Amino acid sequence: MLQDEFGTVSVTLFPQVFPLVQELLLEDELLYIERTLEKRFGRPQVKIKYAQTTKRI
């Protein structure tokens, strides 16, 4: 789940992306992500294409 000041949304990481970002997935860590947003079963869902910590920006 991804959460911001507007609410919470489901996040999907595909198998080819997960190994690249799994070490970044820490609770309360800020991330920069490139994503697509779509609706699935009537609810918003984020598909992550790329991620990095904000410490690298």
Side-chain angles (χ1 to χ4, degrees):
M1 300 297 273
L2 182 65
Q3 183 177 353
D4 67 8
E5 65 271 13
F6 300 105
T8 304
V9 65
S10 174
V11 175
T12 300
L13 287 166
F14 289 101
Q16 66 271 27
V17 175
F18 183 76
L20 302 174
V21 300
Q22 71 182 19
E23 65 195 34
L24 306 176
L25 303 176
L26 304 172
E27 189 171 341
D28 296 328
E29 179 71 50
L30 292 176
L31 295 177
Y32 167 82
I33 62 170
E34 293 179 11
R35 56 35 181 177
T36 58
L37 178 63
E38 61 183 50
K39 282 197 171 188
R40 185 177 173 104
F41 304 114
R43 300 198 56 167
Q45 180 178 24
V46 173
K47 291 183 179 180
I48 295 179
K49 295 181 176 183
Y50 173 80
Q52 74 178 33
T53 66
T54 56
K55 295 172 187 169
R56 291 182 152 185
I57 295 177

